[in-house]
Amino acid sequence: WALARVAAPVPLPRPVLPETAAEWGYLLYLAGVLGLLAWNLGAYVRLRSLLRRGVPAAEAPIRAVAERYGLPVCPAVEVEGLATAFVCGVFRPVLALPAGETADEKVLLHELLHLKHRDAAWGLVICLFRCLHWCNPLLWHCANLAGNDLESLCDQRVLERLEGEERRDYGRI
């Protein structure tokens, strides 16, 4: 039974206060990264909790749009107080729709295209870069532009699938 014998206890490093400005700066940076990660994780958990309280949405209009354009579907819920529809989640995405409103086919197309092209995953990557570079205003500006580019690209994909007057109607939405 004596396969492994501990000859001496494993020494644990003692916590030591930083001594140099660089060490203090690193601790400040690390606190910012962890704080922003915690804040974003908390916001995501609250959002998913809100979506769990939603009412399952009618699947027929969503499936009709998905079949018409050859797009994937995900569970959909109607939630009180939402201003607009959106897809939430990377691994278990949910389509959130404003409660009491009939979802326009073009809005559903837009959100299903976000789902197809995994834009939520790109949003997660952008969020992680913001957390890692919380003290870099240039990166925050670039992250905002990247988020806008994701939306513009999705709008372009919608317009490529629409014809005639439907394109004009989408522009009004």
Side-chain angles (χ1 to χ4, degrees):
W1 294 105
L3 292 177
R5 187 185 315 183
V6 177
V10 177
L12 295 175
R14 292 184 180 173
V16 179
L17 283 177
E19 296 177 3
T20 66
E23 290 173 350
W24 279 105
Y26 177 73
L27 279 182
L28 176 66
Y29 165 77
L30 194 59
V33 169
L34 294 176
L36 200 52
L37 278 171
W39 186 83
N40 281 299
L41 183 62
Y44 181 74
V45 167
R46 286 190 307 275
L47 178 60
R48 287 303 278 215
S49 173
L50 178 70
L51 296 180
R52 272 193 294 278
R53 290 181 291 204
V55 177
E59 290 185 22
I62 299 167
R63 289 209 181 275
V65 171
E67 288 174 9
R68 180 175 176 191
Y69 295 101
L71 299 172
V73 294
C74 65
V77 295
E78 291 184 355
V79 181
E80 289 289 333
L82 291 183
T84 186
F86 60 90
V87 174
C88 177
V90 174
F91 301 109
R92 289 180 293 146
V94 174
L95 174 58
L97 301 168
E101 296 180 22
T102 304
D104 187 271
E105 182 179 303
K106 293 170 222 42
V107 172
L108 293 175
L109 174 59
H110 178 96
E111 297 308 325
L112 292 177
L113 283 167
H114 275 307
L115 180 66
K116 177 183 179 182
H117 294 283
R118 303 197 180 277
D119 290 343
W122 286 110
L124 178 61
V125 169
I126 291 169
C127 179
L128 291 175
F129 274 114
R130 282 185 187 206
C131 291
L132 287 174
H133 297 278
W134 63 269
C135 53
N136 183 348
L138 179 61
L139 186 118
W140 278 70
H141 176 70
C142 291
N144 289 339
L145 294 176
N148 291 341
D149 286 347
L150 281 174
E151 285 301 320
S152 295
L153 181 58
C154 191
D155 288 335
Q156 181 63 35
R157 289 174 177 145
V158 170
L159 291 172
E160 288 171 356
R161 286 164 174 78
L162 298 178
E163 294 178 4
E165 197 61 32
E166 287 183 322
R167 286 182 171 191
R168 193 174 310 230
D169 290 341
Y170 183 71
R172 288 187 203 113
I173 292 174

